[in-house]
Amino acid sequence: MVGNINLGSIQAPYWEQSITLPPHGYQKIQYVTDNFQLISASLPNALKVSFGGAMIDTPFRAGMGYRLTEPVQFVELRNDNDTPLTVDFALGIGEIQDNRLNVSGQVDTLSSNRPYASIHAGSLSGEQSLTFSDGANVAILCTSGTITLNISTSNITVTNLTLTAGQSWELPLATGGTLNITGTGSFNYCIAGY
C-alpha cells in the first residue's frame, strides 16, 4: 500500500479542487488517492487522466468516477483540446458517493409558461360533453355542488371521478378524446394545447 491514512502518510481522505488546463496542457496532481471523480468540466470530451504514471491516458466525462485497486501517489490531467479546460474533481481514499440528481440525454423544457387559452363556465343539467384534440391539457374546477367526470381517449379511460365544490382535476392528455361531465352543480373548465 502506498500510504496509510491512520499513520498520516495520506494527506486527507477526501480533497476537491478546481483547475484550468491551458490548450493541450498537462498538470500532475501530487496526492495519494485510490479514487478519482470528475464533478464537472467546461468542455465535454477534452479531459484525459492517467493514474500513478500509467502510460495510457483515460478519457473522462463529467459525472464519471474511477476506483483504483491500490492507492497511487499522483494523477495526471491532460487537456486534448484547442481551448482552455476548467475541471472540478475530487480525489480520496475510500468510496466517494454522490447522491445528487444527475440528468443525461435530451431534456425538453419550455422557455415560458403557457396560460390556458380560455376558461369556460358551465352549469350542469344532465350531461355535458367536451372534446379535446391531441396534446391537450384539460383542467376542471368544481365551483359548486358535485360533478362526476368520465374521460375517454384512445389510451386512457377514467370513470366516475367525483369532484365537490373547490376540488379540481387536471391532466395532460397526449391523444384527443371526449370528456363527459354529469352531476349537479357548476364548474369551470379549460382546455389548452401544448
Side-chain angles (χ1 to χ4, degrees), residues 32-140:
V32 177
T33 185
D34 70 355
N35 202 318
F36 177 84
Q37 304 287 321
L38 181 57
I39 298 166
S40 66
S42 60
L43 299 169
N45 300 314
L47 181 67
K48 291 193 175 177
V49 181
S50 99
F51 302 95
M55 297 304 292
I56 297 174
D57 292 333
T58 304
F60 257 84
R61 290 175 184 82
M64 292 177 62
Y66 180 65
R67 174 82 188 267
L68 293 93
T69 56
E70 292 289 327
V72 294
Q73 297 286 339
F74 61 91
V75 295
E76 296 169 306
L77 307 179
R78 188 177 318 278
N79 176 9
D80 273 356
N81 203 303
D82 295 331
T83 322
L85 170 67
T86 300
V87 293
D88 295 316
F89 62 94
L91 301 170
I93 294 293
E95 184 177 359
I96 300 171
Q97 293 185 353
D98 185 351
N99 294 321
R100 293 173 292 181
L101 175 64
N102 291 312
V103 179
S104 63
Q106 180 176 337
V107 178
D108 295 324
T109 60
L110 293 175
S111 59
S112 64
N113 291 329
R114 294 186 190 180
Y116 286 108
S118 58
I119 298 175
H120 308 278
S123 183
L124 286 173
S125 57
E127 180 176 310
Q128 184 163 347
S129 183
L130 308 171
T131 58
F132 50 90
S133 60
D134 289 353
N137 197 25
V138 178
I140 302 288

Side-chain angles (χ1 to χ4, degrees), residues 132-138 151-153 155-156 158 169 171-179 192 194:
F132 50 90
S133 60
D134 289 353
N137 197 25
V138 178
I151 302 110
S152 67
T153 71
N155 65 344
I156 186 172
V158 176
W169 173 87
L171 182 67
L173 297 162
T175 57
T178 304
L179 173 63
Y194 285 116

